[in-house]
Amino acid sequence: MPNRACLDAGPIYLYYRKNPPKKVITLIQNIKEKKISAFVPNTILVEIFKHLYVTEGKDHAINCIINFQYNINAQFIVLTPDLILDAGRLKCQYRTKLSYNDCIAIAVAIKMKA
């Protein structure tokens, strides 16, 4: 069974920047080669798009999101009622320390044992 990872915006954003860190390149390569099963809450794509749009422009952001969805072997997770409640509980518990997307990613990671 391959290792499992739940990705938030950080590594994906860094992957599509100029000169991404070697660790990020290795992580994405391992996902492409199915050495790591990757889970991405679909809401995270909004944050990635925003950051890429601001730093690299609209066209780059569009191309990166499309590329990630179709060329990286990640499983996109739709928020279910249970995940919404789990993420909401985390946000209430850590309201000053974690963002909404952090809480969603953590809830997905726990559910997927990633």
Side-chain angles (χ1 to χ4, degrees):
M1 174 190 238
N3 291 322
R4 295 170 161 238
C6 182
L7 302 182
D8 71 354
I12 301 167
Y13 168 72
L14 289 173
Y15 181 71
Y16 287 105
R17 293 295 314 270
K18 293 179 181 133
N19 303 312
K22 289 180 183 172
K23 285 184 177 186
V24 171
I25 294 170
T26 300
L27 172 67
I28 299 299
Q29 190 62 39
N30 284 335
I31 293 167
K32 285 181 176 181
E33 294 173 3
K34 299 182 181 183
K35 294 177 182 174
I36 296 175
S37 294
F39 304 95
V40 179
N42 61 358
T43 58
I44 299 295
L45 296 175
V46 176
E47 183 178 356
I48 298 162
F49 180 84
K50 179 262 181 188
H51 289 302
L52 288 169
Y53 189 112
V54 168
T55 60
E56 306 292 334
K58 179 176 80 171
D59 291 338
H60 181 75
I62 291 168
N63 289 333
C64 291
I65 294 299
I66 291 169
N67 176 275
F68 188 79
Q69 289 176 307
Y70 292 103
N71 296 319
I72 308 298
N73 190 34
Q75 182 179 343
F76 296 96
I77 306 297
V78 176
L79 294 184
T80 62
D82 286 342
L83 281 172
I84 292 168
L85 295 176
D86 292 343
R89 280 188 210 92
L90 286 165
K91 182 61 179 170
C92 288
Q93 189 174 355
Y94 301 100
R95 74 189 81 185
T96 62
K97 297 184 190 290
L98 296 175
S99 70
Y100 285 101
N101 275 341
D102 289 338
C103 294
I104 291 167
I106 292 166
V108 169
I110 291 168
K111 179 181 178 175
M112 304 308 289
K113 297 180 170 106

